[in-house]
Amino acid sequence: MITYSNQKTNDFNDIVYGRRSIKIYDSSVKISREEMTEMIDQATKAPSSVNLQPWRFVVIDSEQGKETLLPLARFNHNQVKTSSAVIAVFTDMNSFDYAEEIYGKAVELGYMPQEVKEMQLNAFRKIFSDYSPEVMKNNVILDAGLVSMQLMLVARAHGYDTNPIGGFEKDQIAEAFGLDQDRYVPVMLISIGKAASEGHASYRLPAERITFWK
């Protein structure tokens, strides 16, 4: 069983019901890169289409990195300036390039037999080669949404708070941080740190208002 040394709580209700979108953080709190890596490792246990794990992360935690990000997140300066870091979540349009590594490791670890690996990869290779860029983009963005939500819940378990941010210059951010903008599609920014004050509670529609039984 994997244990995570920096995790503060396993209280599911506290993690889920205590989550708030935080705008201002305690800027004196700095999350170590070791713990940030640990949290990303936990978050990436999220599911993805045929386990291709297309999510990619740019952790912006230096002053220089934040200065680069600020003009690209014009309506979210407080989160950028005061958070311990901002995690830019991207998806990789070439995620199938990792299929051999992922499935090969699964065989090595005894998770699947070699013949199953070969059968699945042959089938998936044909499917993915037929995908249009639009279909591929829709698939990988869905996967990135799953890992992003899991990352925010993991942060809560570590005693931190987050804010998902969709308002940023998506057409500029990949190039600003040295990524191929045709390959890496930005999905969201997630600010992370220690909240300077409790966030505001917000109303959610009850299940009976949004659920249809057939």
Side-chain angles (χ1 to χ4, degrees):
M1 181 178 181
I2 299 174
T3 58
Y4 292 93
S5 59
N6 293 294
Q7 191 165 313
K8 302 296 189 295
T9 182
N10 283 316
D11 185 332
F12 183 76
N13 284 336
D14 178 62
I15 291 170
V16 173
Y17 292 105
R19 190 200 64 79
R20 300 283 187 271
S21 291
I22 298 300
K23 310 299 183 184
I24 300 179
Y25 300 85
D26 180 349
S27 58
S28 69
V29 175
K30 191 70 175 175
I31 302 172
S32 70
R33 292 191 172 185
E34 176 189 34
E35 186 173 11
M36 192 72 76
T37 300
E38 187 176 291
M39 287 190 284
I40 291 172
D41 185 65
Q42 287 179 281
T44 57
K45 302 307 182 284
S48 62
S49 178
V50 302
N51 195 33
L52 286 184
Q53 308 160 48
W55 39 68
R56 306 290 181 259
F57 308 94
V58 176
V59 181
I60 304 159
D61 65 350
S62 67
E63 289 303 315
Q64 180 180 356
K66 288 189 172 188
E67 286 298 320
T68 300
L69 180 59
L70 273 173
L72 305 179
R74 288 176 293 172
F75 305 108
N76 298 281
H77 279 190
N78 286 335
Q79 294 96 313
V80 174
K81 288 179 177 179
T82 64
S83 64
S84 179
V86 178
I87 302 171
V89 182
F90 292 84
T91 58
D92 186 353
M93 293 288 284
N94 294 355
S95 58
F96 198 81
D97 290 353
Y98 292 81
E100 181 64 41
E101 177 183 348
I102 292 167
Y103 280 74
K105 192 66 177 180
V107 171
E108 180 184 326
L109 293 170
Y111 297 161
M112 69 170 61
Q114 178 70 25
E115 58 269 23
V116 171
K117 170 207 163 188
E118 296 299 334
M119 178 187 68
Q120 290 190 345
L121 282 187
N122 287 335
F124 296 149
R125 190 173 289 110
K126 174 65 168 64
I127 292 170
F128 276 74
S129 66
D130 290 340
Y131 277 165
S132 68
E134 182 180 3
V135 170
M136 176 64 78
K137 182 177 178 180
N138 288 339
N139 279 357
V140 293
I141 284 178
L142 174 62
D143 292 339
L146 293 172
V147 81
S148 296
M149 186 69 251
Q150 185 136 311
L151 180 54
M152 288 186 279
L153 295 179
V154 166
R156 282 286 303 163
H158 280 250
Y160 301 114
D161 298 281
T162 57
N163 183 199
I165 298 169
F168 62 99
E169 305 298 337
K170 294 183 175 68
D171 61 334
Q172 300 175 44
I173 191 166
E175 186 176 7
F177 289 98
L179 301 180
D180 180 348
Q181 60 184 353
D182 293 324
R183 175 171 179 172
Y184 298 102
V185 178
V187 177
M188 70 176 73
L189 305 175
I190 301 174
S191 59
I192 180 170
K194 196 74 173 178
S197 61
E198 290 188 15
H200 299 292
S202 56
Y203 174 73
R204 295 294 190 272
L205 292 169
E208 58 268 22
R209 291 273 286 131
I210 58 173
T211 306
F212 304 93
W213 302 88
K214 304 291 186 183

